[in-house]
Structures are given as structure tokens and as C-alpha cells.
Amino acid sequence: MEAKCPPFPRVRCLLVRTTNGPIIPSPAMKKLISLLLACITIAASAAQPSPEDFVKRNDRNGDGKLSREEFPEWAKSKFDVIDTDHDGFVTVDEMRAFLAKQGGAANGGNPAPPAASGEKKQNGPNQTLPTPTHADVSYGPDESNVLDFWQAPAGAPNPLLVMIHGGGFRMGSKSQMSAALLQQCLQSGISVASIEYRFTQKAPYPAQMMDCARALQFIRSRAGEWGIDPKRVASTGGSAGAGISLWLGFHKDLADPNSTDPVARESTRLTCILPTNMQCTYDPRVIKTLIPGNAYDVSAIKFLYGLPVTFNWDKDTISPELDAKITDAAPITHLTKDAPPVYAVSAKANDVPGNIHNANFARHLKKLMDALGIECVIHMDSDFATPQASLEDKMAFLNKHLGVADQK
């Protein structure tokens, strides 16, 4: 039967009465309802602009592309999917390609982040972190050489966890410190530092690694003042921050005992490393053998070595100087039997061909560390029912190797 319904432009409502039952929507009406709800959701989220409008609307610094920080909150869960070359930026072309695939909004028709993205939200730049004990402390000569430090409330001298942010070596900040991880560390008696470093726009490799090494030395030089145990220091970070953490942990100690600079005399060694979505090498020739697809060709790696985005790893000449730099930048180049234990987590969503955060990096590292008899624990985020369960497992590893359980 046909029934009247509230007025809606050019829409008629078809209902069917079942035998001795209520009036229910016909199959055609169910489809129409779904379509209307989708339209309402998209309109409410302002998620249906053209690719050009979407980028222009959110491009706060006017560079014609969107960083993760510039991406609207409702679409951030899809940033890594849209950023197909994984250089840390979404272009108009990438946005157009994504919309063509999805046939809809920039978030695939789901403006709310998925339930499993709690940790991503905590790591976002808009989160609220407690006030650092020492904020924006300069550890080196460049304006980017700053860090925040949170001192654990009791138990000094405390072990230390250093967070090194990710962002393709071209973006990110110390505010990416996970609030949940920070809280758990402080409650466990672990002090925390979050550091920034020079981006490749300013200086290519090894500036990023050397900046973070200097930050480690600087913090150790403040051990007495800040209540730190310099012999119990761990590092964590995601993506580029994971790679820097591994590089520092595996590299020989960069301390210079003969330096006239007391900071430079401090150690850069680590007690343990907790990388997330890691790369254990930045050698495109090795990456090509580990990850199916074109992950080896991401622009972030080219920029790391000061190369143009047009550089072709398969055709262009790799000079001896570039070869030496590529080899040295790979954390696994420095892996020895004296390396600290590793606890690595990779995202299942990234475990696909062409993704520079593919879990094969962690699998490869585990094979190498197992052969040397060094503890290497690897997980997918899907191994855990909730972000809290993942955090608790990570903290158990951290507490174990920093000796926190023993001091309580």
C-alpha cells in the first residue's frame, strides 16, 4: 500500500503492510533510507568536496598539500591509506585517486574513527599532555633541538624512556607523545623525555640521528639534576622515530671521552628499544627484497639522503659516497651481539605490498636478532583485543628491562 509520510523534496515513501502485522518499509524504501542517511552523514561532516577544495580548505600553510596535522580529525583514520607514497603528505592527486576508489567521502563514509584507533588519537597533535617538569629545553645549537621532560614523582634516580616522533623525517613534533604511555610510565616510576630534531628540509642524514644522539647525551648530563639513572635508558617512537631509536640502540657508543664538551662525553647506548611501525633499514636496495611493491621508492627516503624526488633507484647511478651513506643509515648495519632487546609493534593495516610500514621489517629484524641470540619480541596491533591490552604488554617489557619491578 502507499502511505503518506512527512514532506521531503521529490521523495515518495513506499510502505508495505504485512498480514496482521505492522507497516514496514519495502526493499526499495530501505535502500532509499540508507542513501538518505549516508547523504545526511556526509553533509554533516562536510566530507564531499572536490579533491581541490578539500586540500585548499585544510591547507593551513599554503604549500598545496596536507600534512597529518592539517588533516581534519574526522578523516585522520584514513590518512595513511590516502597517502599512497607514504611521504607524510596528501596531495590533490592522491585525494582524487582515493575518492575515485571509494566513490564517496574522504573517510570512506565513516566520519567517526574506528574503535581500535584509540592509540592513534592519543598520539595526535591535539591531545592534552600534562605540563612537563622541564619544557622546551634546548639541547643543541639548532632551533629544532628542543625537548620536554617529565620527571617521575617518586623513586629517583628513575629510569628514562625517550620518545622520538615520526613523520618521514620531514614533519612531526614532541607533542606526539602518547598521553596513555606517558601516564603509565610516570606511575611506574619511569621518567620520560620527548625530543625534536632537524628535518630533511634543513639537513639530510645523518643530522636526524646525530641530533637525537646529542639529546640522549644532554639528558644524561642532567642525570643528577633531573633524578635519572643514566644506566637505564630506553627509546621508543613510530616510523622515522622507530628507525632513529633502532639506529641509536644498535650503533656503537658515540661518546667521546676526550671531548672538552661534557655533554659529548656522555653515552648514547640504550637499555632496550620499543619501535612502532618500524623500518630496520633505509637502504632501498634491501627494502626492495623485503617488501613487495614500491615501498623502496618513497620520497621520504630520497629526501633523507638529500636526493630529488625524481631520483630512480633502479636506473640512476649510486655513487660510492651515496652508497656509504645508505649503508650507514640502516640500523641493521650496526646490529651486533651487544645490541639491546627490542619490542616491536606493527599495524596490520600497513602489512600490505608497497607500504613503508610493512611488518616484514620487524620480521626481518627478528630473524637477524634471533641469530645473534638477542631478545626480539614482535607483535601486530591485531594481536591485542584493546589498545590498553597492547599498552600493558609493552609496559611489562619496559618494566622488565628497566628493572622497575626490582626497585619496587
Coordinates of all heavy atoms in Angstrom, one line a residue, residues 54 58-61 63 65-91 94 117 119-126 165-173 175-176 238-240 276-277 279 347 349-350 355-357:
F54 N 39.0 20.2 -1.0 CA 39.3 19.5 0.2 C 40.7 19.9 0.7 O 41.0 20.3 1.8 CB 39.3 18.0 0.1 CG 39.6 17.2 1.3 CD1 38.6 16.9 2.3 CD2 40.9 16.8 1.6 CE1 38.9 16.2 3.4 CE2 41.2 16.1 2.8 CZ 40.2 15.8 3.7
N58 N 41.8 22.8 3.9 CA 42.5 22.4 5.1 C 44.0 22.7 5.0 O 44.7 22.5 6.0 CB 42.4 20.9 5.2 CG 41.0 20.4 5.5 OD1 40.4 20.7 6.6 ND2 40.3 19.8 4.5
D59 N 44.5 23.3 3.9 CA 45.9 23.6 3.7 C 46.3 24.9 4.5 O 46.3 26.0 3.9 CB 46.2 23.7 2.2 CG 47.7 24.0 1.9 OD1 48.5 23.7 2.9 OD2 48.0 24.4 0.8
R60 N 46.6 24.8 5.7 CA 46.8 25.9 6.5 C 48.1 26.7 6.2 O 48.2 27.9 6.4 CB 46.9 25.5 8.0 CG 45.5 25.0 8.5 CD 45.4 25.0 10.0 NE 46.3 24.1 10.7 CZ 46.1 22.8 10.9 NH1 44.9 22.3 10.6 NH2 46.9 22.1 11.5
N61 N 49.2 26.0 5.7 CA 50.4 26.7 5.4 C 50.6 27.0 4.0 O 51.6 27.6 3.5 CB 51.6 25.8 5.9 CG 51.7 24.5 5.2 OD1 51.0 24.2 4.3 ND2 52.7 23.7 5.6
D63 N 51.0 25.2 1.2 CA 52.0 24.5 0.4 C 51.4 23.6 -0.7 O 52.1 22.9 -1.4 CB 53.0 23.8 1.2 CG 52.4 22.6 2.0 OD1 51.2 22.5 2.0 OD2 53.2 21.9 2.7
K65 N 49.5 20.9 -0.2 CA 49.3 19.6 0.2 C 49.0 19.6 1.7 O 49.2 20.6 2.4 CB 50.6 18.7 -0.1 CG 51.8 19.3 0.5 CD 53.1 18.6 0.0 CE 54.4 19.2 0.5 NZ 55.6 18.6 0.0
L66 N 48.6 18.4 2.2 CA 48.1 18.3 3.6 C 49.0 17.4 4.4 O 49.3 16.3 4.0 CB 46.7 17.8 3.6 CG 45.6 18.6 2.9 CD1 44.3 18.0 3.1 CD2 45.6 20.1 3.4
S67 N 49.5 17.9 5.5 CA 50.2 17.1 6.4 C 49.2 16.4 7.3 O 48.0 16.7 7.3 CB 51.2 17.9 7.3 OG 50.4 18.8 8.1
R68 N 49.7 15.5 8.1 CA 48.8 14.8 9.0 C 48.1 15.8 10.0 O 47.0 15.6 10.4 CB 49.5 13.7 9.8 CG 48.6 12.8 10.6 CD 49.4 11.8 11.5 NE 50.3 11.0 10.6 CZ 49.9 9.8 10.1 NH1 48.6 9.4 10.3 NH2 50.7 9.1 9.3
E69 N 48.9 16.7 10.4 CA 48.4 17.7 11.4 C 47.3 18.6 10.8 O 46.3 19.0 11.4 CB 49.5 18.6 11.9 CG 49.1 19.6 12.9 CD 50.3 20.4 13.5 OE1 51.4 20.1 13.1 OE2 50.0 21.3 14.3
E70 N 47.4 18.8 9.5 CA 46.4 19.7 8.8 C 45.1 18.9 8.4 O 44.1 19.5 8.2 CB 47.0 20.2 7.5 CG 48.1 21.3 7.7 CD 48.8 21.7 6.4 OE1 49.0 20.8 5.6 OE2 49.0 22.9 6.2
F71 N 45.2 17.6 8.4 CA 44.1 16.7 8.0 C 43.0 16.9 9.0 O 43.2 16.9 10.3 CB 44.5 15.3 7.9 CG 44.1 14.6 6.7 CD1 44.5 15.0 5.4 CD2 43.3 13.5 6.7 CE1 44.1 14.4 4.3 CE2 42.9 12.8 5.5 CZ 43.3 13.3 4.3
P72 N 41.7 17.0 8.6 CA 40.6 17.1 9.5 C 40.5 15.9 10.4 O 40.7 14.8 10.0 CB 39.4 17.3 8.6 CG 39.8 16.8 7.3 CD 41.3 17.0 7.2
E73 N 40.1 16.1 11.7 CA 40.0 15.0 12.6 C 39.2 13.8 12.2 O 39.5 12.7 12.3 CB 39.5 15.5 14.0 CG 40.5 16.3 14.8 CD 41.7 15.5 15.2 OE1 41.6 14.3 15.4 OE2 42.8 16.1 15.2
W74 N 38.0 14.1 11.5 CA 37.1 13.1 11.1 C 37.7 12.2 10.1 O 37.2 11.1 9.8 CB 35.8 13.6 10.7 CG 35.8 14.6 9.6 CD1 35.9 16.0 9.6 CD2 35.9 14.3 8.2 NE1 35.9 16.5 8.4 CE2 35.9 15.5 7.5 CE3 35.8 13.1 7.4 CZ2 36.0 15.6 6.1 CZ3 35.9 13.2 6.0 CH2 35.9 14.4 5.4
A75 N 38.7 12.6 9.3 CA 39.3 11.8 8.3 C 40.7 11.3 8.6 O 41.3 10.6 7.8 CB 39.3 12.7 7.0
K76 N 41.2 11.6 9.7 CA 42.6 11.2 10.0 C 42.8 9.7 10.0 O 43.9 9.3 9.8 CB 43.0 11.8 11.4 CG 43.7 13.2 11.2 CD 44.2 13.7 12.5 CE 44.8 15.1 12.2 NZ 45.1 15.8 13.5
S77 N 41.8 8.9 10.3 CA 42.0 7.5 10.3 C 42.3 6.9 8.9 O 42.8 5.8 8.8 CB 40.7 6.8 10.8 OG 39.6 7.0 10.0
K78 N 42.0 7.7 7.9 CA 42.3 7.3 6.5 C 43.6 8.0 5.9 O 43.9 7.7 4.8 CB 41.1 7.6 5.6 CG 39.9 6.8 5.9 CD 40.1 5.3 5.7 CE 38.8 4.6 5.9 NZ 39.0 3.1 5.7
F79 N 44.3 8.7 6.7 CA 45.4 9.5 6.2 C 46.4 8.6 5.5 O 46.9 8.8 4.4 CB 46.1 10.3 7.3 CG 47.2 11.2 6.8 CD1 47.0 12.5 6.4 CD2 48.5 10.6 6.7 CE1 48.1 13.3 6.0 CE2 49.6 11.4 6.3 CZ 49.3 12.7 5.9
D80 N 46.8 7.5 6.3 CA 47.9 6.6 5.7 C 47.4 5.9 4.5 O 48.2 5.5 3.6 CB 48.3 5.6 6.8 CG 49.1 6.3 7.9 OD1 49.8 7.2 7.7 OD2 48.9 5.8 9.1
V81 N 46.1 5.7 4.4 CA 45.6 5.0 3.2 C 45.6 5.9 2.0 O 46.0 5.6 0.8 CB 44.1 4.5 3.4 CG1 43.6 3.9 2.1 CG2 44.1 3.5 4.5
I82 N 45.3 7.2 2.2 CA 45.2 8.2 1.1 C 46.6 8.6 0.7 O 46.9 8.8 -0.5 CB 44.4 9.4 1.6 CG1 43.0 9.1 2.0 CG2 44.4 10.5 0.4 CD1 42.2 10.2 2.6
D83 N 47.6 8.6 1.7 CA 49.0 9.0 1.4 C 49.7 7.8 0.8 O 50.5 7.1 1.4 CB 49.6 9.4 2.7 CG 51.1 9.8 2.5 OD1 51.5 10.2 1.4 OD2 51.8 9.7 3.5
T84 N 49.4 7.5 -0.5 CA 49.9 6.3 -1.1 C 51.4 6.2 -1.2 O 52.0 5.1 -1.3 CB 49.2 6.1 -2.5 OG1 49.4 7.3 -3.3 CG2 47.8 5.8 -2.4
D85 N 52.1 7.3 -1.3 CA 53.6 7.2 -1.4 C 54.2 7.3 0.0 O 55.5 7.3 0.1 CB 54.1 8.3 -2.4 CG 53.9 9.7 -1.9 OD1 53.3 9.9 -0.8 OD2 54.4 10.6 -2.6
H86 N 53.4 7.5 1.0 CA 53.8 7.5 2.4 C 55.0 8.4 2.7 O 55.9 8.1 3.4 CB 54.3 6.0 2.8 CG 53.2 5.0 2.5 ND1 52.0 4.9 3.2 CD2 53.2 4.0 1.6 CE1 51.3 4.0 2.7 NE2 51.9 3.4 1.7
D87 N 54.8 9.6 2.1 CA 55.8 10.7 2.4 C 55.4 11.6 3.4 O 56.1 12.6 3.7 CB 56.1 11.4 1.1 CG 55.0 12.3 0.6 OD1 53.8 12.1 1.0 OD2 55.2 13.1 -0.3
G88 N 54.2 11.4 4.1 CA 53.8 12.2 5.1 C 52.9 13.3 4.7 O 52.5 14.2 5.5
F89 N 52.5 13.4 3.4 CA 51.6 14.4 2.9 C 50.6 13.8 1.9 O 50.9 12.9 1.2 CB 52.5 15.5 2.1 CG 53.5 16.2 3.0 CD1 54.8 15.7 3.1 CD2 53.2 17.3 3.6 CE1 55.7 16.4 3.8 CE2 54.1 18.0 4.4 CZ 55.4 17.5 4.5
V90 N 49.4 14.4 1.9 CA 48.4 14.1 0.9 C 48.3 15.2 -0.1 O 48.1 16.3 0.2 CB 47.0 13.8 1.6 CG1 45.9 13.8 0.6 CG2 47.1 12.6 2.4
T91 N 48.4 14.8 -1.4 CA 48.3 15.7 -2.5 C 46.9 15.7 -3.1 O 46.1 14.8 -2.8 CB 49.3 15.4 -3.6 OG1 49.0 14.1 -4.1 CG2 50.7 15.4 -3.0
E94 N 46.5 12.4 -4.9 CA 46.3 11.3 -4.0 C 44.8 11.3 -3.5 O 44.2 10.2 -3.4 CB 47.2 11.3 -2.9 CG 48.7 10.9 -3.3 CD 49.6 11.0 -2.1 OE1 49.5 11.9 -1.3 OE2 50.6 10.2 -2.1
S117 N 41.2 2.8 17.1 CA 42.2 3.9 16.9 C 42.4 4.7 18.1 O 42.9 5.8 18.0 CB 41.6 4.8 15.7 OG 40.5 5.4 16.2
E119 N 44.7 4.6 20.3 CA 46.1 5.0 20.5 C 46.5 6.0 19.5 O 47.3 6.9 19.8 CB 47.0 3.7 20.3 CG 48.5 4.0 20.7 CD 49.3 2.8 20.8 OE1 48.7 1.7 21.0 OE2 50.5 2.9 20.7
K120 N 46.0 6.0 18.3 CA 46.2 7.0 17.3 C 45.7 8.3 17.8 O 46.4 9.4 17.6 CB 45.6 6.6 15.9 CG 46.3 5.5 15.2 CD 45.6 5.2 13.9 CE 46.2 4.1 13.1 NZ 45.6 3.8 11.8
K121 N 44.6 8.4 18.4 CA 44.0 9.6 18.9 C 44.9 10.2 20.0 O 45.1 11.4 20.1 CB 42.6 9.4 19.4 CG 41.6 9.1 18.3 CD 40.2 8.9 18.8 CE 39.6 10.1 19.4 NZ 38.2 9.9 19.9
Q122 N 45.4 9.3 20.8 CA 46.3 9.7 21.9 C 47.5 10.3 21.4 O 48.1 11.3 21.9 CB 46.6 8.5 22.8 CG 45.4 8.0 23.6 CD 45.7 6.6 24.2 OE1 46.7 6.1 24.0 NE2 44.8 6.1 25.0
N123 N 48.0 9.8 20.2 CA 49.3 10.3 19.7 C 49.1 11.5 18.8 O 50.0 12.0 18.2 CB 49.9 9.2 18.8 CG 50.5 8.1 19.7 OD1 50.7 8.3 20.8 ND2 50.6 6.9 19.1
G124 N 47.9 12.0 18.6 CA 47.6 13.1 17.8 C 48.1 14.4 18.4 O 48.3 14.6 19.5
P125 N 48.3 15.4 17.5 CA 48.9 16.7 17.9 C 48.0 17.5 18.8 O 48.4 18.4 19.4 CB 49.2 17.4 16.6 CG 48.2 16.8 15.6 CD 48.1 15.4 16.0
N126 N 46.7 17.2 18.8 CA 45.7 18.0 19.6 C 45.4 17.4 21.0 O 44.6 17.9 21.7 CB 44.4 18.1 18.8 CG 44.6 18.9 17.5 OD1 45.4 19.8 17.5 ND2 44.0 18.4 16.4
H165 N 59.7 11.2 17.8 CA 58.5 11.2 17.0 C 58.8 10.8 15.5 O 59.9 10.9 15.1 CB 57.8 12.6 17.0 CG 58.6 13.7 16.3 ND1 58.6 13.8 14.9 CD2 59.4 14.7 16.8 CE1 59.4 14.8 14.6 NE2 59.9 15.4 15.7
G166 N 57.7 10.4 14.8 CA 57.9 10.1 13.4 C 57.4 11.2 12.5 O 57.1 12.3 13.0
G167 N 57.3 10.9 11.3 CA 56.8 11.9 10.3 C 57.6 12.0 9.1 O 57.8 13.0 8.4
G168 N 58.2 10.8 8.7 CA 59.0 10.8 7.4 C 60.3 11.6 7.4 O 60.8 12.0 6.4
F169 N 60.8 11.9 8.6 CA 61.9 12.8 8.8 C 61.7 14.2 8.3 O 62.6 15.0 8.2 CB 63.2 12.3 8.1 CG 63.6 10.9 8.5 CD1 63.3 9.8 7.7 CD2 64.3 10.7 9.7 CE1 63.7 8.5 8.1 CE2 64.7 9.4 10.1 CZ 64.4 8.3 9.2
R170 N 60.4 14.6 8.0 CA 60.1 15.9 7.4 C 59.0 16.6 8.2 O 58.7 17.8 7.9 CB 59.6 15.7 6.0 CG 60.6 15.2 5.0 CD 60.1 15.1 3.6 NE 59.7 16.3 3.0 CZ 60.5 17.2 2.5 NH1 61.8 17.1 2.6 NH2 60.0 18.3 2.0
M171 N 58.4 16.0 9.2 CA 57.4 16.6 10.0 C 57.2 15.9 11.3 O 57.9 14.9 11.6 CB 56.0 16.6 9.2 CG 55.6 15.2 8.9 SD 54.0 15.1 8.0 CE 52.9 15.8 9.3
G172 N 56.3 16.4 12.2 CA 56.1 15.8 13.5 C 56.6 16.7 14.6 O 57.3 17.7 14.3
S173 N 56.3 16.4 15.8 CA 56.7 17.2 17.0 C 56.7 16.3 18.2 O 56.2 15.2 18.3 CB 55.9 18.4 17.2 OG 54.6 18.0 17.8
S175 N 55.0 16.8 20.7 CA 53.7 16.7 21.2 C 53.0 15.4 20.9 O 51.9 15.1 21.4 CB 52.8 17.9 20.8 OG 52.6 17.8 19.4
Q176 N 53.7 14.6 20.0 CA 53.1 13.3 19.6 C 53.3 12.3 20.7 O 52.9 11.1 20.5 CB 53.7 12.8 18.3 CG 53.3 13.7 17.1 CD 54.1 13.3 15.8 OE1 54.5 14.2 15.1 NE2 54.2 12.1 15.5
G238 N 57.6 6.0 16.6 CA 56.9 5.4 15.4 C 57.6 5.8 14.1 O 58.0 6.9 14.0
S239 N 57.6 4.9 13.2 CA 58.1 5.2 11.8 C 59.5 5.7 11.9 O 60.5 5.0 12.3 CB 57.1 6.1 11.1 OG 57.4 6.2 9.7
A240 N 59.7 7.0 11.4 CA 61.1 7.6 11.5 C 61.6 7.5 12.9 O 62.8 7.3 13.1 CB 61.0 9.0 11.0
T276 N 57.6 1.3 16.9 CA 56.3 1.0 16.3 C 56.3 1.3 14.8 O 56.8 2.4 14.4 CB 55.2 1.9 17.0 OG1 55.2 1.6 18.4 CG2 53.9 1.6 16.5
N277 N 55.7 0.4 14.0 CA 55.7 0.6 12.6 C 57.1 1.0 12.0 O 57.3 2.0 11.4 CB 54.7 1.7 12.2 CG 53.3 1.2 12.5 OD1 52.9 0.0 12.3 ND2 52.4 2.1 12.9
Q279 N 61.1 0.8 10.4 CA 61.9 0.4 9.3 C 63.3 0.1 9.9 O 63.9 0.9 10.6 CB 62.1 1.5 8.3 CG 60.8 1.9 7.5 CD 60.1 3.1 8.2 OE1 60.7 4.0 8.8 NE2 58.8 3.1 8.2
A347 N 51.3 -2.3 12.6 CA 49.9 -2.2 12.3 C 49.5 -3.2 11.2 O 50.1 -3.2 10.2 CB 49.5 -0.8 11.9
A349 N 47.0 -3.0 9.3 CA 46.5 -2.3 8.1 C 47.7 -1.9 7.2 O 47.5 -1.7 6.0 CB 45.8 -1.0 8.6
N350 N 48.9 -1.8 7.8 CA 50.1 -1.5 6.9 C 50.8 -2.7 6.3 O 51.7 -2.5 5.6 CB 51.1 -0.7 7.8 CG 50.6 0.6 8.3 OD1 49.7 1.2 7.6 ND2 51.1 1.1 9.4
N355 N 53.7 -0.7 1.3 CA 53.6 0.1 2.4 C 55.0 0.2 3.2 O 55.5 -0.9 3.5 CB 52.5 -0.4 3.4 CG 52.1 0.6 4.4 OD1 53.0 1.1 5.2 ND2 50.9 1.0 4.4
I356 N 55.5 1.4 3.4 CA 56.8 1.5 4.0 C 56.8 1.2 5.5 O 57.8 1.1 6.1 CB 57.3 3.0 3.8 CG1 58.8 3.1 4.1 CG2 56.5 4.0 4.6 CD1 59.7 2.3 3.3
H357 N 55.6 0.9 6.0 CA 55.5 0.4 7.4 C 55.1 -1.1 7.5 O 54.7 -1.6 8.5 CB 54.4 1.2 8.2 CG 54.7 2.7 8.2 ND1 54.0 3.6 7.6 CD2 55.7 3.4 8.8 CE1 54.5 4.8 7.8 NE2 55.6 4.7 8.5

